Amino acid sequence: MRGRPETIFARALCALTFLVASLVCIGPVSADEPLFGYTYTADLLPMGKWELEQWITDREGQAFGHYHNFEFRTEVEYGLTDNFQLSGYVNYSYLNAKDNSVAHLTEGLDIPFNHDPTKQYSAMRFDGISVEGIYRFLSPYKDPIGLAVYLEPEVGPREQALEMRLILQKNFFDDRLVVAANAWIEFEHEQGSNLVTPGSGDVPDGAIEKATMAEIDVGVSYRFLPRWWGGIEFRNHNEFEGFSLAYRNMEHTAFFLGPTIHYGSERWWITISALGQVGAIGVSSENKAQMRGNRIFGDEHTSWDGIRVRVGYNF
């Protein structure tokens, strides 16, 4: 693939925004609007309504050199009932990196284990498909607090994962201020064998890696104009070796903070967030070796983790 990744990202974003905006020609419907890039709320699609959504996330910057990992998700949502929403995703990505690691080599996060670390790496890949279900027990508009649960299994050529999430939402000042919090856990099974292209996986062929991720996300957003929301998000990401949350298996903890802005029209919406890594603690010896200053890189995170754009169209 030719062209700078920044140019590819800009063109993709412009094209998606134009596509969605050009479809604003049918009457309005009620639908959920994500106010945050990472933190889920208890707002769901009404029964019988559909939504098409495109995610673009740039996980940018590592210890040195340059690193752009563009993760794309194309999603279709459907409201089975007013309290149960089902979604399907196609997940794919584009990575461009050179001399990104703490050793000034091209290696680490999503770069194949057998890539020549002295050379630039650039590739597009299919990551897998996933299905997401969200069930709401309490509505933030009818009950003292909104409460929902989330389940998302993912299957791909390199890894399989299962994510479970608890979603809380509280509204203030006639719903002008929204505070949301998520607690989630993900079990990930990665196999170092790619039947399509042997040697292209993140771990050696024949190897198996199991990991558990646990995270707390918090978002606060305020409606400062009729269609505009602005706020801030915080993430605390923790990773463990194997399928365990025991401290002896903990590998690292990392913290992210940044702004988020949301615009919603009658038919379409756009959300932009940018979360920077503000600190991390390496626990395992392997993760400690991937630290530069107070941040962790290697196979784990980036400086901006990440810059996310979500564009949606309701029908």
Side-chain angles (χ1 to χ4, degrees):
M1 181 175 291
R2 298 181 179 178
R4 292 178 58 83
E6 296 88 345
T7 303
I8 296 170
F9 178 76
R11 289 177 178 174
L13 173 58
C14 290
L16 286 167
T17 304
F18 175 78
L19 172 63
V20 174
S22 67
L23 293 174
V24 186
C25 58
I26 309 176
V29 296
S30 298
D32 69 324
E33 292 184 15
L35 303 179
F36 308 103
Y38 289 83
T39 308
Y40 282 72
T41 66
D43 282 328
L44 302 181
L45 283 174
M47 183 175 61
K49 300 302 181 183
W50 294 84
E51 181 175 274
L52 175 65
E53 183 174 342
Q54 180 66 48
W55 305 49
I56 306 173
T57 305
D58 181 13
R59 302 182 68 185
E60 189 274 330
Q62 286 204 312
F64 297 102
H66 78 266
Y67 183 93
H68 286 273
N69 193 348
F70 293 99
E71 298 177 346
F72 304 92
R73 307 190 81 190
T74 301
E75 175 190 8
V76 176
E77 296 181 357
Y78 179 69
L80 288 173
T81 72
D82 286 340
N83 291 314
F84 183 45
Q85 176 179 294
L86 192 64
S87 305
Y89 295 85
V90 177
N91 308 308
Y92 46 105
S93 58
Y94 169 72
L95 174 58
N96 188 291
K98 180 69 166 68
D99 301 333
N100 57 290
S101 75
V102 293
H104 295 270
L105 297 174
T106 306
E107 60 185 2
L109 184 60
D110 289 341
I111 297 175
F113 79 96
N114 62 350
H115 172 72
D116 184 346
T118 65
K119 296 181 180 179
Q120 181 173 348
Y121 179 77
S122 179
M124 189 105 183
R125 75 181 195 180
F126 169 71
D127 294 317
I129 59 174
S130 52
V131 177
E132 169 196 289
I134 303 178
Y135 185 83
R136 180 174 60 198
F137 293 94
L138 301 173
S139 169
Y141 306 102
K142 301 177 182 179
D143 302 296
I145 191 170
L147 172 64
V149 293
Y150 163 114
L151 183 69
E152 180 186 345
E154 179 180 358
V155 177
R158 299 166 186 84
E159 65 181 42
Q160 296 80 45
L162 176 64
E163 179 181 334
M164 297 175 288
R165 186 180 296 247
L166 178 68
I167 301 168
L168 299 173
Q169 177 180 341
K170 179 66 176 178
N171 295 1
F172 301 91
F173 308 129
D174 295 326
D175 302 325
R176 292 178 63 89
L177 177 67
V178 172
V179 179
N182 299 172
W184 61 264
I185 185 171
E186 179 178 279
F187 301 100
E188 182 180 277
H189 178 282
E190 185 173 3
Q191 54 197 31
S193 177
N194 185 345
L195 300 179
V196 179
T197 309
S200 67
D202 300 42
V203 298
D205 290 343
I208 294 177
E209 287 189 358
K210 298 178 181 179
T212 302
M213 277 72 72
E215 182 167 311
I216 298 294
D217 302 335
V218 178
V220 179
S221 188
Y222 181 76
R223 189 174 71 242
F224 59 92
L225 288 174
R227 297 182 182 272
W228 289 89
W229 295 75
I232 192 168
E233 278 189 275
F234 169 81
R235 298 172 56 209
N236 171 223
H237 181 90
N238 304 274
E239 189 159 334
F240 301 80
E241 182 181 4
F243 295 154
S244 170
L245 291 176
Y247 180 77
R248 65 179 180 275
N249 293 334
M250 190 174 191
E251 296 188 333
H252 74 270
T253 182
F255 305 91
F256 307 88
L257 184 69
T260 179
I261 190 166
H262 171 83
Y263 173 80
S265 74
E266 294 177 341
R267 201 79 189 189
W268 68 277
W269 52 262
I270 182 170
T271 301
I272 302 174
S273 63
L275 298 188
Q277 186 180 170
V278 295
I281 300 172
V283 179
S284 70
S285 57
E286 180 180 353
N287 277 208
K288 287 179 180 178
Q290 301 302 326
M291 299 284 296
R292 181 169 183 256
N294 67 337
R295 297 185 295 177
I296 189 169
F297 300 108
D299 287 330
E300 310 304 338
H301 298 292
T302 55
S303 299
W304 291 94
D305 210 270
I307 302 169
R308 175 169 288 178
V309 179
R310 298 172 62 179
V311 182
Y313 170 68
N314 303 302
F315 57 97

